[in-house]
Amino acid sequence: MATRADVKSPLHETVTTTATDYWNDSCSLEELSYAIEHGAVGATSNPTIVGEVLQKEMPLWRDRIAELIAGNPTATEDDITWLLIEEMAVKASQLLLGKGRLSIQTSPKLYKNTAKLVEQGLRFASLAPNMQVKIPATRAGIAAIEELTAHGVTVNATVCFTVPQALAVGAAVERGLERRGDAGDMGPVCTIMVGRLDDWLEIAAAKEGTLLTPGAVNWAGIACVKRAYPIYKERGYRTRLLAAAYRNHLHWSELIGGDIVLTIPYKWQRLFNASDIEVKPRFDDPVPEHALEELTAKVPDFVRAYEPDGMTIDEFDDYGATRRTLRGFIASYQELVATVRDFMLPNPD
């Protein structure tokens, strides 16, 4: 396999000439191998990603699913689903040994249950030495992030879209590190799902009959990352920000240069690497004033996302992007379970 320095590309240039790192937004072995060749030092997964990987690589997994079912005769379809998710994550983590971590996501159904998030997080952390556990930035999730950090688990906050959520995550990690004492090099990250925030604000504006200037909403997620970043530095948070959920090249090009992580889907990696976009630090460039002014004036949910005190922790679960994403993740998980069910209980028709 080519190494980080072997393959020249825009993404390779991003990670070798700036403080910005990039991860592969998939646990697919084929996609992760490509990403590592171009400089990736980590990878993520979630129920949607696992389902997509399974459909794409079904010939590689069909016999293994049958073996898991045969070897666990009393297991439920949910039990087999989680064994499959865990095995996919472990295989991907092996490609990253010595390079970085693989993020495995806790069940999206547990978003309201701190104790169960912690229980599942501890199990996931034991699967491989470079495993990172994804916890939602919900009310219960913030508490779980602190608890898991105190237990020495490296976390990746997910289902996070806003500055208030990111700040709550950073503070929770600090509390956990203080309880732990010797933090070591744990490498926690806080994801801001930039594209999913953009998606939600566009929907929210349309619901209110608000007409936005084309392109203005594409700056919302970027604005939140750039707003949270200096606050993290000022407060000395040891969590690193991560931008995910790509919708356009701004989610890469405008964040180059920050000491952050970019988790990029395979499709977008290929597009970025084939592009002629100049790789140069733009992270410190301000968000266009017209976009900030328009979003602030016309979209109340942007203000809630952008202002550090725009929401309390108790309000995180009811934020539109949170609800929408959790519903999507839960639906993807159920589809994954249905795929396993077809192996365990084939349709007789």
Side-chain angles (χ1 to χ4, degrees):
M1 178 187 295
T3 65
R4 182 181 177 114
D6 289 333
V7 179
K8 306 301 180 184
S9 65
L11 289 178
H12 171 267
E13 188 177 351
T14 296
V15 300
T16 55
T17 64
T18 78
T20 307
D21 280 325
Y22 104 86
W23 294 359
N24 185 60
D25 196 20
S26 169
C27 56
S28 161
L29 299 183
E30 177 185 353
E31 295 176 4
L32 179 54
S33 296
Y34 171 89
I36 291 172
E37 290 174 359
H38 290 267
V41 292
T44 60
S45 67
N46 61 42
T48 302
I49 290 171
V50 170
E52 292 172 350
V53 170
L54 184 60
Q55 294 306 317
K56 185 183 299 184
E57 300 181 354
M58 183 60 80
L60 301 177
W61 289 99
R62 188 180 302 278
D63 291 345
R64 182 56 184 149
I65 295 172
E67 290 173 358
L68 288 172
I69 294 169
N72 297 274
T74 62
T76 67
E77 57 192 22
D78 290 274
D79 294 334
I80 298 299
T81 298
W82 281 108
L83 288 174
L84 177 63
I85 291 171
E86 290 175 2
E87 190 159 317
M88 280 189 172
V90 170
K91 284 183 178 294
S93 74
Q94 291 169 351
L95 291 183
L96 290 164
L97 283 173
K99 300 180 181 71
R101 300 181 184 274
L102 185 285
S103 286
I104 179 173
Q105 185 159 324
T106 47
S107 172
K109 289 185 170 184
L110 302 180
Y111 71 95
K112 296 183 76 171
N113 193 318
T114 298
K116 288 189 177 296
L117 286 170
V118 171
E119 179 184 358
Q120 192 174 48
L122 289 171
R123 172 178 169 79
F124 287 170
S126 71
L127 296 176
N130 59 337
M131 201 65 75
Q132 188 166 39
V133 178
K134 297 177 81 170
I135 302 291
T138 57
R139 185 177 185 274
I142 297 299
I145 286 167
E146 177 183 342
E147 194 64 28
L148 285 167
T149 301
H151 279 82
V153 175
T154 298
V155 298
N156 176 350
T158 186
V159 193
C160 177
F161 319 90
T162 70
V163 175
Q165 286 175 291
L167 296 181
V169 168
V173 169
E174 289 303 309
R175 292 193 298 271
L177 291 174
E178 289 168 8
R179 288 169 55 190
R180 182 166 174 74
D182 181 15
D185 185 20
M186 290 179 63
V189 297
C190 176
T191 296
I192 295 181
M193 307 181 89
V194 289
R196 287 181 178 271
L197 176 63
D198 296 356
D199 292 345
W200 168 246
L201 296 181
E202 193 162 30
I203 291 169
K207 281 184 173 182
E208 297 299 320
T210 301
L211 186 63
L212 297 175
T213 302
V217 77
N218 293 340
W219 291 97
I222 295 168
C224 287
V225 174
K226 294 191 177 189
R227 185 75 183 273
Y229 184 82
I231 303 175
Y232 261 49
K233 296 298 182 184
E234 176 187 336
R235 297 183 182 180
Y237 288 165
R238 285 166 280 185
T239 302
R240 201 174 184 199
L241 288 174
L242 181 154
Y246 281 61
R247 300 295 185 265
N248 55 67
H249 81 73
L250 297 177
H251 293 151
W252 159 56
S253 58
E254 288 297 322
L255 298 176
I256 293 173
D259 182 13
I260 65 170
V261 179
L262 308 179
T263 297
I264 308 176
Y266 178 69
K267 178 188 79 170
W268 287 102
Q269 292 176 47
R270 299 297 297 244
L271 288 170
F272 296 162
N273 282 334
S275 74
D276 59 359
I277 297 168
E278 183 182 2
V279 175
K280 67 176 185 179
R282 298 183 182 86
F283 191 86
D284 291 333
D285 294 350
V287 172
E289 189 173 342
H290 69 84
L292 272 180
E293 289 179 350
E294 181 169 356
L295 292 170
T296 299
K298 294 183 177 182
V299 188
D301 266 8
F302 172 73
V303 178
R304 297 176 72 197
Y306 184 69
E307 294 299 334
D309 59 354
M311 282 190 289
T312 66
I313 291 177
D314 288 341
E315 294 174 310
F316 291 171
D317 293 21
D318 287 330
Y319 190 63
T322 301
R323 288 188 186 181
R324 192 166 186 263
T325 299
L326 284 171
R327 286 177 60 86
F329 282 170
I330 292 169
S332 293
Y333 170 73
Q334 299 289 26
E335 289 173 8
L336 192 57
V337 172
T339 299
V340 171
R341 183 184 307 131
D342 286 340
F343 280 86
M344 296 181 71
L345 198 65
N347 192 329
D349 298 335

